[in-house]
């Protein structure tokens, strides 16, 4: 009974650390989201979360708030404390110097510069360390950071709205509202927590989307709006071009010195020329370039063609499908254009979850475990 009580207590306090960490959404980038709680005699004596502009790591903020109360206290943190010098000093040294008795860590740091060294350093100083408290929750929170820090590629989420018979639009070239306000509100939350949105020129020509974060929540960097447009067909009068504020990126196979490219740059759009793959923009090169720009996470909000290309090239890490309780029938556009033989070798989704949004429901699953090589 006593052991069960300890585990329950650890779970509860780590849940608080995770809530604090989430406050760093869109503010900690490109660092991971981290929250910390200092507990002394069953009382919180310090807590904090990390923001990039604030510089200080969550553990340092919590320890500074706790002051002398940190001695012989327990520290809860959702990510292994760092043990190297970066923009700040090592958190492990601060924890040891503060006299903390025990540290509960949700997960090891996927950063190769840490990767268990912080835990070993704390244990070497005589601090008791518990690892794995709410580990699954912690991994989901920083899945984009985990992929980027190991591969320098962004974590890709394919998101779309569709009917029960798997249609995303009434017909090719038509704009169709499918899901409810509740689903669209959740999509805005997803956008806020993402670094970039990615779509194709077909969607731009059909829907004329703005592709914006409308939550009005603070962000450290603007949401980057990325368009794959091999022939540079985007209209200069499109909503996304007219609203560009150096936050729109177009990948094309056309010359950056073409008259159209020059006009787009004048409008505040950045043009990146990439090589062609089968007559189309090389999507892997697109993701490599985004990763070099410290874009850790991207939501693919596209049409059937681009969705199919991303899936066929195994570039999608997670998929989120918002289903409306409707049937579209013949003529509707499928979620992805894929060759008939793709199904035979297509990977199965793992870690499936389901959630209701008003009259709709969402299915979420993973193609890749970003904490392992794939």
């Amino acid at each position: 009974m006593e052991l069960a009580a300890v585990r329950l207590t650890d779970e509860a306090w780590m849940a608080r650390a995770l809530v604090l960490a989430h406050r760093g959404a869109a503010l900690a980038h490109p660092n991971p989201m981290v929250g910390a709680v200092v507990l002394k005699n069953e009382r919180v004596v310090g807590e904090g979360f990390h923001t990039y502009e604030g510089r200080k790591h969550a553990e340092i903020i919590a320890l500074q708030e706790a002051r002398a109360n940190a001695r012989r206290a327990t520290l809860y943190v959702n990510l292994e404390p760092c043990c190297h010098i970066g923009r700040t000093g090592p958190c492990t040294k601060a924890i040891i110097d503060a006299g903390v008795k025990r540290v509960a860590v949700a997960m090891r740091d996927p950063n190769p510069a840490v990767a268990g060294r912080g835990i070993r350093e704390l244990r070497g100083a005589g601090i008791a360390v518990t690892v794995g408290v709410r580990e699954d929750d912690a991994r989901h929170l920083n899945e984009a950071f985990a992929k980027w820090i190991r591969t320098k590629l962004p974590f890709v989420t394919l998101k779309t709205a569709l009917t029960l018979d798997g249609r995303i639009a009434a017909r090719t070239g038509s704009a169709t509202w499918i899901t409810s306000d509740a689903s669209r509100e959740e999509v805005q939350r997803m956008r806020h927590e993402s670094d970039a949105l990615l779509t194709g020129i077909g969607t731009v020509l059909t829907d004329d989307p703005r592709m914006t974060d409308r939550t009005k929540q603070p962000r450290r960097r603007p949401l980057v709006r990325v368009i794959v447009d091999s022939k540079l067909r985007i209209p200069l009068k499109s909503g996304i071009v007219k609203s560009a504020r150096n936050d729109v990126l177009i990948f094309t196979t056309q010359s950056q010195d073409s008259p159209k490219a020059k006009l787009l740059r004048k409008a505040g759009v950045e043009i990146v020329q990439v090589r062609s793959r089968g007559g189309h923009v090389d999507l892997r090169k697109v993701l490599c370039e985004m990763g070099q720009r410290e874009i850790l996470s991207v939501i693919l909000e596209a049409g059937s063609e681009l969705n199919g290309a991303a899936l066929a090239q195994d570039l999608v890490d997670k998929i989120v499908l918002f289903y409306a309780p409707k049937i579209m029938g013949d003529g509707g556009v499928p979620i992805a254009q894929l060759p008939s033989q793709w199904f035979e070798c297509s990977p199965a989704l793992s870690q499936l979850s389901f959630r209701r949004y008003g009259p709709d429901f969402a299915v979420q699953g993973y193609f890749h475990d970003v904490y392992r090589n794939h």
Side-chain angles (χ1 to χ4, degrees), residues 261-331:
K262 291 178 180 178
L263 289 172
L264 287 167
R265 281 199 297 274
K266 188 176 181 181
V269 175
E270 184 176 355
I271 307 297
V272 180
Q273 184 180 1
V274 294
R275 72 186 184 192
S276 173
R277 174 175 172 153
H280 300 283
V281 167
D282 187 331
L283 290 182
R284 193 169 293 277
K285 284 293 184 182
V286 169
L287 295 180
C288 286
E289 175 65 25
M290 293 170 74
Q292 290 175 12
R293 293 167 182 254
E294 295 190 337
I295 293 174
L296 278 60
S297 57
V298 56
I299 301 176
L300 178 60
E301 296 189 2
S304 183
E305 184 176 351
L306 190 57
N307 285 346
L311 289 168
Q313 294 177 47
D314 195 27
L315 301 177
V316 177
D317 297 298
K318 180 168 73 173
I319 193 165
V320 182
L321 306 178
F322 288 86
Y323 282 93
K326 303 172 185 177
I327 301 293
M328 187 169 290
D330 292 343

Side-chain angles (χ1 to χ4, degrees), residues 99-334:
V100 170
K101 179 182 181 181
R102 176 173 175 255
V103 177
V105 176
M107 61 174 281
R108 288 177 170 82
D109 194 333
N111 185 349
V114 183
R117 288 176 53 216
I119 292 168
R120 290 194 296 272
E121 189 171 311
L122 293 174
R123 285 173 172 164
I127 297 174
V129 182
T130 302
V131 183
V133 182
R134 287 190 174 270
E135 183 172 11
D136 288 345
D137 294 336
R139 286 187 166 211
H140 287 308
L141 181 68
N142 280 310
E143 58 195 10
F145 172 78
K147 181 181 180 183
W148 181 79
I149 200 66
R150 288 159 59 98
T151 68
K152 289 299 180 279
L153 292 171
F155 183 90
V156 179
T157 299
L158 190 159
K159 185 279 302 176
T160 195
L162 63 169
T163 58
L164 293 178
D165 55 343
R167 306 300 176 179
I168 62 174
R171 64 186 182 281
T172 301
S174 67
T176 310
W177 284 111
I178 292 176
T179 50
S180 66
D181 289 343
S183 291
R184 292 196 285 274
E185 183 177 343
E186 173 62 11
V187 169
Q188 289 300 318
R189 186 200 65 78
M190 290 175 61
R191 287 183 177 184
H192 176 68
E193 296 183 3
S194 184
D195 296 334
L197 301 182
L198 173 63
T199 196
I201 184 58
T203 298
V204 173
L205 294 175
T206 299
D207 297 343
D208 192 22
R210 295 297 180 94
M211 297 172 64
T212 53
D213 171 5
R214 295 190 284 276
T215 62
K216 299 182 180 179
Q217 297 298 311
R219 310 179 57 95
R220 178 176 168 256
R221 300 199 321 183
L223 179 67
V224 182
R225 300 176 286 171
V226 183
I227 303 164
V228 174
D229 183 4
S230 59
K231 304 300 182 185
L232 217 54
R233 294 185 292 152
I234 188 167
L236 294 170
K237 293 184 178 181
S238 62
I240 197 165
V241 172
K242 290 170 67 176
S243 63
R245 297 293 183 272
N246 298 311
D247 59 351
V248 176
L249 194 58
I250 296 181
F251 286 89
T252 182
T253 59
Q254 304 301 299
S255 171
Q256 297 186 64
D257 295 324
S258 69
K260 181 70 170 290
K262 291 178 180 178
L263 289 172
L264 287 167
R265 281 199 297 274
K266 188 176 181 181
V269 175
E270 184 176 355
I271 307 297
V272 180
Q273 184 180 1
V274 294
R275 72 186 184 192
S276 173
R277 174 175 172 153
H280 300 283
V281 167
D282 187 331
L283 290 182
R284 193 169 293 277
K285 284 293 184 182
V286 169
L287 295 180
C288 286
E289 175 65 25
M290 293 170 74
Q292 290 175 12
R293 293 167 182 254
E294 295 190 337
I295 293 174
L296 278 60
S297 57
V298 56
I299 301 176
L300 178 60
E301 296 189 2
S304 183
E305 184 176 351
L306 190 57
N307 285 346
L311 289 168
Q313 294 177 47
D314 195 27
L315 301 177
V316 177
D317 297 298
K318 180 168 73 173
I319 193 165
V320 182
L321 306 178
F322 288 86
Y323 282 93
K326 303 172 185 177
I327 301 293
M328 187 169 290
D330 292 343
V333 178

